[in-house]
Amino acid sequence: MSRIHFVVKETEKVRYQAQAGREGKSLGQWLREAAAEKLAIARPQKFTLEELREFNAACDARRSDAPEPDWPEVKRMIGESRLSGIEPA
C-alpha cells in the first residue's frame, strides 16, 4: 500500500468528511471511490455484445469476395487518384 497526501482547504475537507459520513464511509474510502469513479468515466467505453455483433455484421456487409488487386494495380490506382484529386473514402 502507498499513501497519497494532497492539500485542500479546510472547508473542502469538512465537506468531504461530512459527505463521507452521510454515506457511512471513512474519508479515505470515500476519496478512493471518488477517484475510481473518475477513472471509470475517463476509460474508453467497451462495446456491448450486441454492439459488437452489429459492428461485425456491418463489416461483413461491406466485405467483397473479389480478390484484391495486385500491388502494381494498387500503385496505379493511387497515382490516378492523386492526379484527379479524388479523396479517400
Side-chain angles (χ1 to χ4, degrees):
M1 278 283 201
S2 65
R3 293 179 177 266
I4 299 173
H5 297 271
F6 60 98
V7 178
V8 295
K9 294 179 182 176
E10 186 64 28
T11 55
E12 290 175 333
K13 178 185 171 191
V14 170
R15 288 176 47 217
Y16 298 162
Q17 283 178 319
Q19 183 60 38
R22 283 190 290 275
E23 295 179 22
K25 301 173 185 174
S26 69
L27 177 58
Q29 179 184 7
W30 187 83
L31 289 170
R32 285 188 300 275
E33 288 176 5
E37 288 173 17
K38 182 83 171 172
L39 284 175
I41 291 169
R43 188 175 303 130
Q45 298 297 315
K46 295 181 180 179
F47 285 112
T48 64
L49 185 55
E50 184 58 32
E51 290 169 331
L52 185 58
R53 286 182 177 140
E54 289 173 8
F55 174 77
N56 286 336
C59 289
D60 287 345
R62 288 193 309 259
R63 184 178 150 208
S64 169
D65 288 330
E68 292 187 18
D70 60 5
W71 182 237
E73 176 66 10
V74 170
K75 288 194 308 188
R76 184 193 63 74
M77 290 174 9
I78 291 171
E80 285 179 6
S81 69
R82 286 184 180 156
L83 293 176
S84 64
I86 297 173
E87 293 294 321

